[in-house]
Amino acid sequence: MAEAAAPRSPLAGLGKALAEMRADGVTIAEGPARTRLNLRLDQKDVEALTAAGAVLGGSLPRTPNTAATTVNGTALLWLGPDEWLVTGSAEAGAQLEDTLRARLDGRHHALTDVSAMYATIALSGPLAREVLMKGCRLDLHPRAFAPGACVQTSLAKANVILHQTDDAPSYEITVRNSFSVYLATWLLDAMAEHRPA
Amino acid sequence: MRFRLKEGGRIDRAQRLRFTFNGRRYEGFAGDTLASALIANGTHLTSRSFKYHRPRGILTAGAEEPSALVQLGEGARTEPNLRATQVELYDGLTAAGVNAWPSANCDFAAWTGRLAPLFPAGFYYKTFLWPASFWKFVYEPTIRRMAGLGRAPEAPDPDSYDKRHVHCDVLVVGGGPAGIAAALAAGEAGARVLLVDEEATLGGALLGQRHKVDGVDGAAWAQAAAGRLAAMEEVRVLSRTTLFGYYDHNSLSAFERRTDHLGPGTPAGMSRQRLWNIKAGRVVLATGAHERPLVFADNDRPGIMLASAAQRYLNHYAALPGERAVLFTNNDAAYEAAHDIVEAGGTVGAVVDCRHEPAAPLAPKLEEAGVALHTGSVIAATHGTKRVRSVTVAKLGEGGGLSGEQYRIFCDSVLVSGGWNPAVHLFSQSAGKLAFEEARGIFLPGKATQALEAVGAANGSFGLASCLAEGAAAGARAAEAAGFGDGTPPPTPPVEAPEPGAITPFWLAPGQKPLGHGKAKHMVDHQDDVTAADIRLAAREGFRSVEHVKRYTTVGMGTDQGKTANVNGLAILADALGKTVPEVGFTTYRPPYTPVTFGALAGRDTGPLMDPVRRTAMHEWHEAEGAVFEPVGQWLRPWWYPRPGEDKHAAVARECRAVREAAGILDASTLGKIDIKGPDATTLLDMVYTNAFSTLKVGRVRYGLMCGDDGMVFDDGTTARLGENHYLMTTTTGNAAHVLEWLEEWLQTEWPELRVYCTSVTEQWATVALAGPRARDVLAAVAPEMALDTDSFPFMSVKEGIVAGVDARVFRISFTGELSFEINVPWQHGRRLWEALMEAGAAHGITPYGTEAMHVLRAERGFIIVGQETDGTTTPHDLGMDWIVSKKKSDFLGKRAWSREDSRREDRKQLVGILTDDPKKVLPEGTQLVETRGQPPIPMIGHVTSSYESPTLGRSIALALVRSGRARKGETIYAAPESGFLPCKVTEPVFYDPEGAKRDG
Amino acid sequence: MLWIDCPWCGARPETEFRYGGEAHIARPDPATTDDAGWADYLFMRSNPKGVHAERWMHREGCRRWFNALRDTVSNDVLTIYPMGTARPDAPGDEAGGG
């Protein structure tokens, strides 16, 4: 393990614009660096699922379009019938990966470190839904999309993981690095009409 | 405002607005449209017609307007072809009629009207035949000048536009009585409701009439209902919004005009117009009906308008159509317009009813008021130039012609009504089938194919009470379908309104001369200047299909899509063909219902947001260094890095030399990377690559070629074996997503038994290619703990270690032919790695190089680029890459296809090198190659796929695909005639270091 | 805009999917298939007016492939079913049965 060097976020160039954005009813901020592990498991392999759940402190969600948060603050995002994104604090990283790998040893699985692959953008406030609906084709109305809902979809012209975390509503948008500047620019633009006069 | 009533109407007399039309100054009131303000000022002449430049006025009061088209505003904000009937008046508005130069009042091209006999149906097809070249330079520009509609602005649009997606349980289209009732019923049940209405205020037809709902004026009832709807949390009402497109699966699009009524310039941060993409559970179409004109001689003079339009101008805008009106009708309902005018103190000279024994309930009242009633009569002629001044009325004879005496009646406005056409446009767009009802001569919604219901006038129910009842029932049903309420409609309010009464369809009034003779025109399509005679001519010339007649005569092909013209045109065609209307059939309505601006369709997807620009971790560094970027897919990659005073040529040559002589670094982060794990990973790779991976040792790397099952190359890249069952595959930049999908497709659909997981890690890693004889020295400086000598770190192997203080994976692979390392670090450290290498390499002459230098360097070494040396018809054998095709594997993708006859042909195009005899000539890529000089046509034997000036060789080099190319080595062939038959030698496709001696430095 | 039921993610707009062409085209054994048979596998597809069995992949979502029966006239998606299973019966599907 190399000595910790300061990582540079793909959104670093937009830091000022994000920090200075003020809008009525909606806030935007870049999310913190995270540990992210892509976990592939056969969902019929109950033993493997149980083993993973034990390490993670909670069951991997089996319901599509949902995310679960475990007792130790790790979020488990359903990505597909045999695919999850495990996200935890940046510090949790290597240890979580090693423990999971050890417990799943011998079972067909794939555990891939994708911590560095994404940026996250947090959007929150009563008008956050209105802003997202300028570029999201899915129904985000509270009757259809509630805290804990988590989908992979298109937002504007970028593929994202959209996770509603509370009913403010707050959303955590996970986007691949290379699209993050485009997406953040798009969001800032979409918020502009709510700027105070 | 001479024709404005002292009181009444719903305009705000306290707010006076000034405006300019056709160069003249006018005044109107807040609440006016441009059309209503002009009528209040006594101006009916607005513009000139499309083909004959006939004076035209205001025919309607709404979206169906075919003729009062105006050019609104000036400069960058000017907008052509707007319907004056839908332009809301604002202070300072400036507009002019289209198609008139210098003005509608004095039009220089009006002479075309006198030449009308020369412009029959199909005029363009018949006249401008020859020579073909005249189309481009003579005919088309002239026709466009003469017959175009308005002008497009020439400067960029200064306004902003956006889009919004919205979901609802119930979408109600139209804010008239039926739509309001539907929205109330669905909203009260608790469903999510969206009500879309094109006008500024709800009310629809109620705004034009004096009917009462729930004991109050209909418009006041509508306003109260709007208040109730606004108070419902799950109901959204979009006014000034046109539902213009009905697509599959109840997906619809609407066009909202958010600021147009405020005048030019949008408030800061606000979009001028918004496109709504709607996904609806059920749709209630309450789109109303359009009154249809009667077709009679010279029925297009200014002052001639629909009866309902005159009624709307009177009741809503308090504007009389003129001093003295004549009503021409075939139905009872239109009598109401005449009655309202009389009640308001206006004068109606006569009612002309084509029915022989009409029994309109209002007739006695009108006669009492001194209005002459001419039954069994038609208007046989109209008179006046820029405004109708009188009409000639005559009795209808037995054989359909005129009979008896003719009367001249003076008037300055003619109200016409041929009945009502349900607005079935959206129903038709939804792929619903239309049904024709003979009795009223109307097309009605028939069998629906989507989850929708048409109600009220759109459904042929023209009475106010039935509009309310049908709307409420449909709203309740739609809510129930979404799980709200039990489908029982709420009670509807009592109404005071007459029933629509009787109608006798009437399609064509005879004129004083037989149709097509004399100067009179029976106008069917006011926008496209199509007459009844044109349609008859088309029938005589043999056109039978309604689709052909439409295109031949252009009836219904204007921006109004024939809203006032189509049904009349069809009936006249059916009559000419001796068929019924259903036998003739109906053309399909297509989106948009009314025109939509490009701005709204584009939304925010313009300028920097038009398409995502994908950036690497080092992007900002490249920008700061002045790199010129090349788009590769959505990525921007540095193309070259010009130094002050350098052009592309000089910069690329310098970058190439640096790689060959010292060290260069390239941002290779965009290459696709796929992590492949599982006990069957090797089996998968053996199937998708042409060569074998089972023999690859852990820690080593192999180049692979990927083919489709058609045997054609579609990607290449290196794959490293990181563990017994763990590989990292790289792909070309443009194919990264496609290759991952390719692997998944086979795994999920054909080989589900293989236990393999594939995960994209393209953006986990930032990748720097460090190449050149000094590469090892540079890397050693930032990776002091890594053994870099050839024995410890041989060509085509991978190592993990610490580079620039970061965990890294380093591959010893080369795309330049030189000693090369591809260093991968987590993305967020990419910039740091790059800067560390630049610093460490300074002493070694390190030089950043872009994709252009990369292309030159790889071409010198004879490495292909998929998509450049291949085009989807190229096999590995064509590329001379048999060495990478396994002879041992029994099956893999592509193999079977190579034994097909065509794949075995000896004369397939094969990859060769091309050296021009003149070393200074660089052939353009794509240059065609021929065997001999001579007079074309000469058979083409191949084409140049890559061509560069090689700084290393000091001459031009090229790669080409040439028929039987390998057998031609040493021969001279010629670059295509455009290149002056330049002689070229066919060579090996490797120009530099064919033995690969340089790869170890 | 079609809205297609992904078997995992539910109804999603067609822009999230990749169309995969006709379903039930199995890769034949290359060792025993003649040239005509191979060409048939590679290139020949049916193009019915009516119910069509076809493949879709939820590209923007779970990336899973599935089969669907779609009426090419009305664009109605009649049913979806897993890869590797036979074409099911569906209302209005006369060519179905399996």
Side-chain angles (χ1 to χ4, degrees), chain B residues 29 254 779 829:
Chain B
F29 291 129
L779 182 55
H829 295 289

Side-chain angles (χ1 to χ4, degrees), chain A residues 8 137 157 178 189 193, chain B residues 167 274 604 610 620 763:
Chain A
R8 183 179 165 82
R137 287 189 181 273
K157 294 183 178 177
S178 68
D189 180 78
E193 79 168 306
Chain B
H167 294 249
R274 175 172 281 177
R604 301 302 299 149
M610 188 179 86
E620 288 159 355
E763 300 189 32

Side-chain angles (χ1 to χ4, degrees), chain B residues 382-726:
Chain B
T382 70
H383 314 279
T385 49
K386 290 166 193 167
R387 177 84 186 254
V388 64
R389 293 296 167 200
S390 62
V391 296
T392 300
V393 174
K395 286 266 179 211
L396 271 173
E398 292 283 311
L402 302 178
S403 81
E405 233 180 303
Q406 301 191 354
Y407 307 86
R408 186 89 170 234
I409 301 174
F410 289 88
C411 61
D412 61 355
S413 51
V414 178
L415 319 185
V416 296
S417 177
W420 292 83
N421 291 325
V424 292
H425 309 70
L426 296 175
F427 180 84
S428 173
Q429 285 184 23
S430 80
K433 292 271 169 287
L434 299 179
F436 188 70
E437 187 201 291
E438 200 74 43
R440 291 184 289 176
I442 55 176
F443 283 95
L444 289 167
K447 187 172 175 285
T449 62
Q450 300 206 39
L452 69 83
E453 200 168 341
V455 296
N459 194 35
S461 305
F462 298 136
L464 179 51
S466 51
C467 282
L468 291 169
E470 283 186 16
R477 266 195 295 275
E480 186 195 14
F484 298 93
D486 62 1
T488 312
T492 49
V495 301
E496 292 167 43
E499 280 306 300
I503 174 172
T504 305
F506 185 68
W507 304 113
L508 183 59
Q512 291 169 315
K513 292 192 174 171
L515 198 67
H517 292 76
K519 285 186 191 160
K521 296 220 166 293
H522 288 66
M523 205 54 74
V524 174
D525 183 334
H526 286 61
Q527 188 168 113
D528 297 314
D529 266 353
V530 180
T531 65
D534 288 331
I535 294 170
R536 287 248 181 109
L537 177 64
R540 275 205 308 282
E541 288 180 354
F543 288 89
R544 292 294 176 268
S545 154
V546 62
E547 295 287 351
H548 292 160
V549 171
K550 168 178 164 176
R551 283 155 185 80
Y552 187 61
T553 62
T554 73
V555 66
M557 286 179 70
T559 60
D560 65 334
Q561 288 199 32
K563 291 184 184 68
T564 54
N566 282 353
V567 178
N568 282 334
L570 259 183
I572 291 168
L573 176 66
D575 178 65
L577 294 173
K579 291 180 175 177
T580 65
V581 170
E583 279 171 347
V584 170
F586 202 65
T587 56
T588 309
Y589 287 109
R590 293 196 172 80
Y593 172 71
T594 46
V596 179
T597 61
F598 283 118
L601 294 172
R604 301 302 299 149
D605 299 340
T606 62
L609 293 174
M610 188 179 86
D611 201 42
V613 171
R614 299 178 68 181
R615 294 163 165 86
T616 71
M618 289 78 94
H619 187 87
E620 288 159 355
W621 190 94
H622 305 318
E623 265 180 340
E625 290 297 309
V628 175
F629 288 93
E630 175 187 29
V632 182
Q634 288 175 317
W635 292 98
L636 276 188
R637 300 190 68 182
W639 205 351
W640 64 86
Y641 299 81
R643 288 185 178 165
E646 274 186 345
D647 59 4
K648 173 185 178 182
H649 174 82
V652 172
R654 172 178 51 74
E655 291 171 17
C656 289
R657 275 194 303 275
V659 175
R660 293 276 182 245
E661 292 162 14
I665 63 171
L666 172 90
D667 183 351
S669 306
T670 61
L671 290 178
K673 306 170 199 76
I674 302 168
D675 194 276
I676 301 173
K677 289 194 185 94
D680 298 316
T682 307
T683 310
L684 173 70
L685 292 176
D686 274 348
M687 281 303 290
V688 297
Y689 276 130
T690 61
N691 45 341
F693 278 74
S694 35
T695 53
L696 184 67
K697 292 192 173 65
V698 173
R700 302 303 297 249
V701 182
R702 188 161 284 172
Y703 172 78
L705 209 52
M706 234 177 239
C707 292
D709 235 347
D710 60 357
M712 303 305 161
V713 174
F714 89 86
D715 204 65
D716 68 347
T718 58
T719 293
R721 191 165 197 169
L722 300 176
E724 181 59 29
N725 295 325
H726 184 193

Side-chain angles (χ1 to χ4, degrees), chain A residues 40 43 64-65 78-83 137-138 151-154 158-159, chain C residues 1 3 7-13 15-16 58-64:
Chain A
R40 304 289 299 272
Q43 62 166 354
N65 303 334
W78 184 95
L79 299 183
D82 59 1
E83 184 172 11
R137 287 189 181 273
L138 303 190
V151 294
Q152 297 169 89
T153 187
S154 304
N159 178 256
Chain C
M1 178 74 58
W3 283 72
W8 300 101
C9 304
R12 297 293 185 100
T15 46
E16 293 197 4
H58 189 195
R59 174 191 257 152
E60 298 288 303
C62 63
R63 302 189 296 126
R64 298 299 100 183

